[in-house]
Amino acid sequence: HTAAAATLTNAEFQGVGSTLFIRTQKQELLQTTLANPTQTTVIATQVQSFATHDTELYYLHTNEAGTLSLHHSTVENGTLVQTQALPTDLPNSPATLLIDEQKAVYILQGQNLYRFGEHASEIARSVTNASVQTGALAYTTPGELWWYDSHSLRSNLVSRTSTPIQTYLVSPTSQFGLYTDADGLAAAELNTDAGQNRYILDPAGTASTAIVFRSAEHILYITSGTLKQLQLF
């Protein structure tokens, strides 16, 4: 174990190979290595959010005009190459950057969710949470769970419920959306062409705080302090 610098307490970390990127509480984006994490280089300041995908680094930075720009670089042997900065025309306020498995770029700012191509295009409003945990973009609005198909550029409703959705996981690969509501831990089929089937996986799973895929068929989830495993099919 090698101790990191004290100034990196409560910082955000992501890595590309042996290269480590760190966003500090002062909104500095630092670069270091796993071999020597105490020696850091400042890449940028006023960084709202950053993300890595395979060998690529993305971050949102406040530009001279006072709006946000998206920076994208490829990481080669610890060096940032092919760097480009693209204006988003979004205001300088807290934002979260998300990258899906197709390397599509999304920005959650306030309750507005955007897909970024040549400019920021709004996908949804009143968004309460967003995630690319399974590679695809999933997000919640009050009482609703959605996933976004980056091929068809369309949002798809997974489920609508009368209670807020706190914990969720959407997997186009398995064709299921998993979430908790007043009935417990539930699953809904993503394919709605012939109608949608909904299953209650665990009536006691209302208070589940985490859901992850252990394999293509099994999930792990934590409910009421207990780690459980469940086979979907």
Side-chain angles (χ1 to χ4, degrees), residues 16 19 21 31 55 57 73-83:
V16 175
T19 303
F21 298 99
Q31 179 179 342
T55 60
L57 169 70
S73 300
T74 299
V75 184
E76 292 185 358
N77 299 319
T79 301
L80 303 184
V81 299
Q82 300 176 354
T83 298

Side-chain angles (χ1 to χ4, degrees), residues 55-100:
T55 60
E56 295 172 88
L57 169 70
Y58 306 79
Y59 66 88
L60 287 173
H61 161 77
T62 304
N63 58 33
E64 294 180 356
T67 58
L68 295 182
S69 290
L70 173 70
H71 289 247
H72 170 229
S73 300
T74 299
V75 184
E76 292 185 358
N77 299 319
T79 301
L80 303 184
V81 299
Q82 300 176 354
T83 298
Q84 58 179 337
L86 304 171
T88 66
D89 297 325
L90 294 177
N92 179 30
S93 62
T96 301
L97 187 63
L98 303 108
I99 313 295
D100 73 8

Side-chain angles (χ1 to χ4, degrees), residues 45 64 68 95 116-117 131 135 144 149 157 175 184 189 192 196:
T45 59
E64 294 180 356
L68 295 182
F116 184 77
S131 170
E144 296 175 334
D149 188 335
L157 180 64
Q175 282 294 296
E189 293 179 341
T192 60
Q196 185 184 52

Side-chain angles (χ1 to χ4, degrees), residues 3 5 8-9 16 18 33 35 38 42-43 45 49-50 57 65 81 87 90 95 107 151-153 158 185 189 223 229:
L8 303 185
T9 303
V16 175
S18 61
T33 64
T38 58
V42 178
I43 299 174
T45 59
S49 181
F50 80 104
L57 169 70
V81 299
L90 294 177
I107 300 170
H151 295 289
S152 65
L153 304 181
V158 178
L185 176 62
E189 293 179 341
T223 183
Q229 175 178 281

Side-chain angles (χ1 to χ4, degrees), residues 98 108 110-111 113 126-133 137-142 144-146 165-168:
L98 303 108
L108 177 61
Q111 293 186 318
L113 182 61
S126 302
V127 175
T128 55
N129 196 275
S131 170
V132 287
Q133 182 178 347
L137 174 69
Y139 63 93
T140 57
T141 58
E144 296 175 334
L145 174 61
W146 300 78
I165 295 174
Q166 302 293 343
T167 307
Y168 64 93

Side-chain angles (χ1 to χ4, degrees), residues 27 41 61 76 111 113 138 144 148 156 191 197 207-208 211 218 226 232:
Q27 297 186 331
T41 300
H61 161 77
E76 292 185 358
Q111 293 186 318
L113 182 61
E144 296 175 334
Y148 186 79
N156 302 274
N191 190 337
N197 290 317
S208 298
I211 310 172
H218 295 84
T226 300
L232 291 179

